[in-house]
Amino acid sequence: CIMVQFGPGAIASVRQAIHESRGLFILWVALLRTGYRLTISVERRGSKLASWHERASRIAHYTLYGLMIWVPLTGWMGASAYNSLDLFGIISLPAIMPHDEARAVWILWAHGLLAFSMIALVSVHISIALQGYLDGSEGIAPSPEPVARASSLQ
């Protein structure tokens, strides 16, 4: 586990607390974003993608949303199992798993695997989105027509 490589001590504790607080922030934002996406319909402008590409895009987005929730959640589960729930000595997170260090090792291994999978998927997603933006195939490229300003419409 990468976080274990920091070793003991005050600096390692601060790094761990920063890591955990970032994870909680990502979990909170991912849950808000998922709730927003479930309640608000997003209309795509004329996509020129093949149907298989459209399906693959939808699957990739659902997978990203799932990973944005499961990566921090497995981290919290692992921290609970290790009984490492203090953030900066100020906030104590509630345990969502019973204390079991043997289980924590496996949970945090899964946490790392999911995190690296998310990094890989985000990298592929960015490259495909950039390609679609540059060649205009995604329907997200800016329009070549200038946008009229509100003052010029009066």
Side-chain angles (χ1 to χ4, degrees), residues 44-47 128-134 136-143:
R44 292 179 52 99
R45 293 190 302 166
S47 177
I128 291 171
L130 185 59
Q131 177 190 5
Y133 176 80
L134 293 174
S137 65
E138 287 283 333
I140 58 173
S143 172

Side-chain angles (χ1 to χ4, degrees), residues 2 10 16 24 38 53 66 69 74 93 98 103 146 151:
I2 291 175
Q16 182 70 25
L24 285 174
L38 290 173
H53 195 204
I69 293 169
T74 55
L93 300 174
R103 182 181 293 166
S151 61

Side-chain angles (χ1 to χ4, degrees), residues 1 4 74-84 97-112:
C1 182
V4 174
T74 55
W76 190 356
M77 291 166 64
S80 293
Y82 260 127
N83 202 19
S84 172
M97 293 278 301
H99 178 74
D100 181 354
E101 289 190 18
R103 182 181 293 166
V105 171
W106 288 104
I107 293 170
L108 293 174
W109 177 84
H111 171 68

Side-chain angles (χ1 to χ4, degrees), residues 19-136:
H19 177 84
E20 290 173 358
S21 60
R22 284 180 181 170
L24 285 174
F25 178 75
I26 290 169
L27 178 61
W28 181 74
V29 170
L31 289 171
L32 284 176
R33 177 75 175 148
T34 302
Y36 174 80
R37 291 290 301 207
L38 290 173
T39 58
I40 304 297
S41 176
V42 176
E43 185 177 322
R44 292 179 52 99
R45 293 190 302 166
S47 177
K48 301 171 189 165
L49 299 176
S51 63
W52 70 268
H53 195 204
E54 191 73 38
R55 277 192 306 275
S57 173
R58 196 169 295 118
I59 289 168
H61 280 97
Y62 288 140
T63 304
L64 278 172
Y65 279 105
L67 287 170
M68 285 191 301
I69 293 169
W70 277 103
V71 169
L73 199 56
T74 55
W76 190 356
M77 291 166 64
S80 293
Y82 260 127
N83 202 19
S84 172
L85 298 167
D86 284 338
L87 292 179
F88 304 107
I90 300 170
I91 299 170
S92 184
L93 300 174
I96 58 174
M97 293 278 301
H99 178 74
D100 181 354
E101 289 190 18
R103 182 181 293 166
V105 171
W106 288 104
I107 293 170
L108 293 174
W109 177 84
H111 171 68
L113 182 66
L114 290 171
F116 282 114
S117 299
M118 184 168 67
I119 290 168
L121 187 57
V122 165
S123 299
V124 170
H125 175 66
I126 289 171
S127 64
I128 291 171
L130 185 59
Q131 177 190 5
Y133 176 80
L134 293 174
D135 68 14

